[in-house]
């Protein structure tokens, strides 16, 4: 966390010290950026007439018994012996006891709520697409509406699985790969939308990307063939090299989910930070006069739009790369000779 703060602070220092709207009048630019990219116990919507409009999410913890209450109770500081750790404390931004230790916490945070909503939305999109195919003969008419959007995405991943896994096995893994691709793509796009129900940085959260990578890891290693494990644990090399190569192969298998995790997390987080920095320029320049403010606002908006378009492209590319690498790893594990 400290290293990540240093990176964001370095990015912020590339800009003059400034403020982001009303929030930035009260906090440094790095804190404003962190507020938008990190998880929280409430979902801030907007500020209207100096009043914050937010969705206060349920806090669910076990601390000498289950405690369930609204996160609004924490606004005044401590509630039932719990408070949110302040800046610089060990568990900054997390719910802690008075002594700074963490209780068992399964609260519905901003990212958890975003996960629930995006999962529900994905199910609805898939069911609506399936409904169209049940009611129409695809041999006689081309898909329309939502089905026309979903079909090329599904076929792209289906063909990817066929090519990388092989015709014999690909049908067993294609549903997982399609689900992973659509889930990542949907959440990447939702993260770009600046207003509710978008704006959550779900795929820019390393916990989320780690779980996705572990799904691929366990799929690969729990369904691998004997040939896959033979090549890993007893490779076909001179005897003196077998122990060394076995260690390297096992290490390589463990590194694969780490690379999947960091690639998706880092790219999506960096995209959010870039866009926020461009937006901050408008408010940073506000104190330098109307001429500079107006000119820099135009530049900031133009670059912001450009970065939004670039982020949409990156969102698709990252979903594609995660799915492609997953299919390649599964294909390598399913080789029979």
């Amino acid at each position: 966390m400290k290293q990540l703060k240093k990176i964001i602070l370095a990015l912020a220092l590339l800009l003059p010290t400034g403020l982001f709207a009303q929030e930035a009048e009260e906090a440094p630019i790095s804190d404003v950026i962190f507020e938008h990219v990190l998880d929280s116990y409430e979902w801030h919507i907007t500020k209207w007439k100096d009043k914050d409009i937010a969705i206060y999410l349920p806090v669910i913890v076990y601390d000498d018994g289950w405690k369930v209450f609204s996160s609004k109770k924490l606004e005044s500081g401590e509630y039932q012996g719990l408070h949110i750790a302040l800046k610089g404390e060990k568990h900054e931004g997390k719910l802690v006891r008075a002594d700074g230790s963490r209780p068992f916490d399964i609260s519905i945070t901003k990212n958890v709520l975003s996960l629930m909503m995006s999962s529900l939305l994905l199910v609805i999109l898939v069911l609506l697409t399936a409904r169209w195919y049940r009611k129409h003969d695809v041999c006689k008419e081309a898909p329309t509406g939502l089905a026309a959007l979903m079909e090329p995405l599904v076929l792209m991943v289906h063909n990817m699985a066929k090519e990388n896994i092989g015709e014999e096995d690909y049908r067993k893994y294609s549903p997982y790969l399609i689900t992973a691709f659509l889930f990542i793509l949907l959440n990447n796009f939702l993260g770009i939308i600046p207003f509710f129900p978008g704006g959550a940085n779900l795929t820019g959260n390393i916990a989320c990307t780690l779980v996705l990578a572990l799904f691929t890891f366990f799929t690969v290693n729990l369904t691998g063939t004997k040939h896959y494990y033979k090549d890993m644990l007893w490779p076909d090399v001179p005897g003196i090299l077998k122990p060394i190569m076995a260690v390297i192969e096992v290490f390589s298998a463990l590194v694969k989910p780490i690379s999947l995790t960091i690639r998706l997390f880092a790219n999506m987080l960096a995209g959010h930070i870039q866009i926020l920095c461009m937006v901050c320029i408008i408010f940073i320049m506000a104190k330098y006069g109307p001429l500079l403010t107006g000119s820099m606002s135009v530049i900031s908006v133009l670059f912001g739009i450009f970065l939004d378009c670039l982020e949409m492209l990156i969102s698709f590319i990252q979903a594609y790369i995660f799915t492609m690498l997953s299919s390649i790893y599964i294909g390598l594990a399913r080789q029979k000779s």
Side-chain angles (χ1 to χ4, degrees):
M1 178 67 71
K2 290 183 179 179
Q3 293 299 323
L4 184 58
K5 282 191 173 184
K6 289 179 180 178
I7 293 171
I8 291 186
L9 185 57
L11 288 170
L13 290 175
L14 295 176
L15 306 173
T17 302
L19 307 174
F20 180 58
Q22 286 184 321
E23 299 175 6
E25 293 177 359
E26 305 169 357
I29 186 174
S30 58
D31 291 349
V32 174
I33 293 173
F34 258 100
E35 182 181 342
H36 288 77
V37 300
L38 294 182
D39 201 6
S40 65
Y41 291 92
E42 64 179 52
W43 195 318
H44 187 267
I45 306 298
T46 187
K47 180 172 284 191
W48 181 259
K49 295 181 179 179
D50 295 328
K51 182 179 180 182
D52 287 321
I53 299 175
I55 298 175
Y56 295 97
L57 302 171
V59 175
I60 308 171
V61 296
Y62 185 84
D63 184 34
D64 295 330
W66 287 103
K67 298 179 180 179
V68 181
F69 55 88
S70 170
S71 59
K72 188 174 178 62
K73 302 285 188 181
L74 298 169
E75 281 190 331
S76 57
E78 187 172 315
Y79 183 76
Q80 294 189 9
L82 301 169
H83 69 277
I84 297 177
L86 302 176
K87 181 180 178 180
E89 295 182 357
K90 183 178 180 180
H91 301 288
E92 180 181 339
K94 301 296 183 182
L95 203 63
V96 296
R97 302 184 182 96
D99 61 0
S101 61
R102 291 269 289 145
F104 180 69
D105 187 356
I106 55 171
S107 302
I108 307 299
T109 62
K110 179 179 177 180
N111 281 342
V112 174
L113 179 60
S114 176
L115 173 64
M116 292 176 175
M117 291 190 300
S118 63
S119 299
L120 178 61
L121 179 58
L122 181 58
V123 170
I124 292 172
L125 291 175
V126 171
L127 291 178
L128 290 176
T129 304
R131 181 185 178 187
W132 187 94
Y133 281 95
R134 285 198 303 269
K135 293 185 175 182
H136 299 82
D137 186 350
V138 293
C139 296
K140 297 179 180 179
E141 58 180 308
T144 57
L146 180 62
L149 174 65
M150 296 288 284
E151 182 178 284
L153 296 176
V154 172
L155 288 178
M156 178 189 69
V157 180
H158 193 68
N159 293 332
M160 179 197 300
K162 185 177 181 180
E163 180 180 348
N164 294 328
I165 301 175
E167 293 196 18
E168 184 176 345
D169 290 330
Y170 82 97
R171 290 185 180 277
K172 293 189 295 184
Y173 301 96
S174 184
Y176 162 67
L177 294 172
I178 292 170
T179 302
F181 174 79
L182 293 176
F183 177 81
I184 295 171
L185 184 64
L186 177 61
N187 281 286
N188 287 351
F189 283 158
L190 286 174
I192 302 173
I193 301 173
F195 49 82
F196 183 83
N201 188 31
L202 186 59
T203 47
N205 185 302
I206 197 167
C208 177
T209 59
L210 175 61
V211 171
L212 291 170
L214 287 176
F215 278 128
T216 295
F217 175 77
F218 287 118
T219 301
V220 168
N221 290 281
L222 293 179
T223 63
T225 61
K226 293 181 180 179
H227 179 74
Y228 167 71
Y229 282 104
K230 178 182 176 298
D231 279 351
M232 181 191 298
L233 302 175
W234 200 249
D236 189 14
V237 295
I240 194 172
L241 295 176
K242 287 184 183 292
I244 300 173
M245 291 303 298
V247 172
I248 293 173
E249 289 295 331
V250 171
F251 180 75
S252 175
L254 295 175
V255 165
K256 287 174 181 175
I258 297 175
S259 68
L260 288 175
T261 299
I262 295 176
R263 181 182 292 106
L264 179 57
F265 154 73
N267 278 281
M268 300 315 301
L269 179 63
H272 287 288
I273 292 173
Q274 285 180 339
I275 293 172
L276 287 169
C277 285
M278 291 307 303
V279 173
C280 284
I281 290 179
I282 299 173
F283 305 99
I284 289 168
M285 293 298 172
K287 61 181 179 181
Y288 293 111
L291 180 61
L292 188 57
T293 302
S295 58
M296 290 306 297
S297 295
V298 172
I299 294 173
S300 178
V301 169
L302 292 176
F303 270 97
I305 293 172
F306 169 76
L307 288 175
D308 273 331
C309 295
L310 183 62
E311 186 72 0
M312 291 181 66
L313 176 62
I314 292 173
S315 297
F316 179 85
I317 291 174
Q318 289 305 315
Y320 181 87
I321 290 175
F322 185 98
T323 311
M324 180 185 67
L325 290 175
S326 296
S327 67
I328 291 173
Y329 296 155
I330 294 171
L332 293 173
R334 295 301 300 168
Q335 288 183 353
K336 295 179 175 59
S337 61

